[in-house]
Amino acid sequence: MPVTTASAAVHITPVVFKTFVKHAKRKGAKIKDGDETVQGWDDIFYDQAFHIVKAFIELGTKNTVESLQAFTNTHVPAPFWCAVVPVKIPLSSCNKAADSLIEWFGPDELSRVVGGERWWQIRGLEWIDAEWITEKAYLQDDETDLSNSLTDDEKTIQRMEHLDRVMLYVHGGAFFWGSINTHRYQVIRYARKMHGRAFTVNYRKAPQYPWPCPLQDVLAAYFYLTSPPPGAVHKAVPPSKLVFAGDSAGASLCLAALTVLRDLGIPQPAGAVLISPWVDLTHSFPSVMSNTATDIIPPHGFIHKASTLWPVHPKPEGGYTRAVPTQTNPPPQPGHADQLKPDDGRLTDQAELRLEQSIQKGEEVHPADLQDKPEDIGSQNEMLAQGNAHHTTAHSEPTAEGGPARSGFQDSKRDGKGDLNYDLSRDFWEPKPPKVLMEDPNATPLELRAQIQLYATTEQLSHPLVSPVLQSSLGNLCPLYIIAGDGECLRDEIIYVAHKAAHPKDYPARPGILAEGHRQKENAEKFQTPTKVHLQVFDDMCHVLTVFTFTESAKYAYRSVAEFIKHVTDSSNEHILRNPFPELHRLPSKIPEPDSETETATKSSQFERSKGPFGNTESHGERSDVQIYKSNEVVTEREVQQGDAEQLPQYDTPSDTVHGESNLDIPDVFMIRERVDVLGKVRAMEPPEEIEALRLKPYEIGLIKEAPVRRWLAGQEAWDKKYKSTAEHVVRKRRQYEAKAARLLEHAREQGLIHDEIQPQRSRLSANGSVSSGSVGEVESNRRWGPLDLKDENPPASAIAGRRDTSEAVALLKKTIYHNAPVTHRTVPKLKTSDAVRAAFDPHDHPIKPPQQSVSEQQVHPQFVPMHGLRMWQSIVELFMRKSTKKVERGKKHASSALRSTSEKINSGIGRSDSDSAGNPASPSVSRT
């Protein structure tokens, strides 16, 4: 059963009842034991919402990737009380982003690491879906200056123009699910609190559009805002008025985009908000394993029921399981994937070895098929020791044991251009399977035969634009506000990346990263200025705590994000250089109290017990998010005074250029490190040396380690067994789609398709293609490439641009041939009548219109709009907000009643005392005013 509202309800309803019973038992046990500790789980609303979200994500793993994508990318109407305007980011902005990435990578890295410069620019739509969002109450009332030729949506965009604070929000979802629809309510909340407007982007997602496709779309959104293309309604947004924000995978994309902008010298935004950023896709930090029980991430990671799309290999093939004991000695070393940019000796060595074993076996041998003699294969310790013995290699780097390691046992010292044709050896090159770093040093390392992450190949996971924690430097970036939950699996890598940004010299990348990336060594030396960072880790909270908007923690987080955005966008560059932290701004900014019913006061006494005869006044009272924020400002200032915040030497800050009120700020602070309890109260974080994540050495980060691999492998093997018949069906279905694609191409050639693979760039400025009589398509002048333009390209195996065996790949192929052709097509043929008839009976096709494109890119617009699960989730959140508010009101009434009763007793007692003293001359008189 696919992921639908009904299936979600069936799956989640029992979880709700089980959670309620368990919560009652746990709460009863705490009361019985006199346990007064305060935990996030003590809130029944958070306990229920946590398990609802966790159950939904686990439901997604029992279905196909496409099913989860379709459910979370279904268009859901916006609520009536906010202004949401859909817009389309055109291909011209996409091309500008592509040119920036092409410049960043360079030709060699594009070819050997990315797989080419064309495949990732291919898309089904002629635009990227996006939305402008703000409160309707914030729109300008006066419409007299607006042109009558504008549509209502265009007028609404112009009525937002006076809101100069802009948030570019990039949603999360593990790089492969989620959309602007799943995150709209969160973004509305940000826009309201920061009194500004937000812009969200529905970027393409993996595995159909793997790295760097999503990164290109995020950059396209940034350029669309800062340099509007012709036809855009909005005015250019200055970078100083714009802030990046994102959660999970979206936060990682924000950080990667910032490094691209920095490296290319393009103005960065005023700041960035990173909520639970996923910055290490190799899973090399301890909390990935230790925090599984307290996070919403599925127990085996993101595994899915097999489909024609994913996994790339729906069942183990060729007698191999998805991981086997290694068949060869290094390279690569245990814990590493093989190089995508090998040295010349590796190129020719592999070519010779593959040729030799191919002759012996009488068939082509790929690197995964290479085998050393079993008796010659060493243990992990032996492999590492052998590598340490060859530390003079050009690519030496410390191994997991701490010593320098050679990239392989048998790396050749020759230049690789002698015995075999060098260009042929380079084309012949394929990386060997990655080796896993085992916990038992005497074990034989495992060898991975399957791709684990949907976003990128295993060999790409250590690239700094895939895993930003492996950037050689995160210095010289705009100010960052980074949020993590102490209970989330990504906690350690988030803490590490925050310190790495603020201390670029103290947290270097491992030498191998510097050697492999042409920019990395330069960046390590060039960008040494600390990035200003505010890091907050929230007690007991899970991944992306802002999903749970009704909790005290989330309410404070939303307020804190809003104040950060207001501060960095309202202040001058000189002011931000002096102080980017709103908590240290003096005089403190005035924040209006909330005026909405669900935004009003929050009750700290949900978690606290009464103290004293009348209870604790604060615990029985109410505290709005503004009050919590204000009280935390005092704590943060005290942290600076006590030396818990990190400050630059006075001479490093151009304070003499700052004038006006800003010079009253607390200056020179470049990192604030805090923990936040479940009531939203901040405290200073412990010293770095006491944090496990910060004790990891550079050579331990980015390694492929046994525990996460075993966890994934156990789940994947269970799914292989459970869905064995499904996998068999998938194999047959792929053959059908391949035949359909072949027939489509054959008929297109019969109908007059002429395609130029030799001169792909010739027609970029003007589309010279002709359209066949009766064709409904056209050549798009800004569409550079299509699926037929991949000669000499090597796209990842999951990318539909290079596939013909999925329905989405066939839909993409058909659209770029018959409807919206790239400029490399000389003609746009007419669809053959027989194909039109077939399309009429295909629910995913159309005889005249373009077929529906991948659900990872194009929103699903249902014909009937029942109560969608995304709307139901928001209703649950609103219910919890109202319940929380009612608790507040009851607490307020209780506190007021207790105070009145106390006051009456005191006044009564004073009255009796006065009476007694008047009748007793020995008593001193009491003077009252």
Side-chain angles (χ1 to χ4, degrees), residues 296-318:
I296 57 176
I297 305 302
H300 298 291
F302 290 104
I303 56 175
H304 287 273
K305 180 180 178 180
S307 70
T308 54
L309 172 67
W310 184 267
V312 173
H313 299 289
K315 62 177 185 177
E317 296 177 344

Side-chain angles (χ1 to χ4, degrees), residues 262-285:
R262 176 200 65 183
D263 295 351
L264 298 181
I266 300 172
Q268 298 179 50
V273 178
L274 309 180
I275 303 167
S276 296
W278 186 10
V279 293
D280 176 26
L281 274 73
T282 66
H283 286 333
S284 61
F285 285 86

Side-chain angles (χ1 to χ4, degrees), residues 467-514:
S467 296
V469 75
L470 294 171
Q471 284 276 347
S472 63
S473 173
L474 290 173
N476 293 76
L477 297 178
C478 62
L480 306 177
Y481 177 35
I482 303 178
I483 291 174
D486 192 58
E488 69 172 297
C489 291
L490 306 185
R491 178 199 62 199
D492 287 352
E493 63 197 69
I494 297 169
I495 292 174
Y496 189 93
V497 84
H499 286 77
K500 181 182 178 74
H503 301 272
K505 297 179 181 179
D506 297 336
Y507 298 91
R510 67 172 191 252
I513 298 295
L514 301 182

Side-chain angles (χ1 to χ4, degrees), residues 164-183:
D164 59 354
R165 300 169 186 150
V166 178
M167 167 195 277
L168 170 53
Y169 195 88
V170 185
H171 69 81
F175 298 101
F176 76 96
W177 62 281
S179 70
I180 55 181
N181 296 285
T182 56
H183 288 65

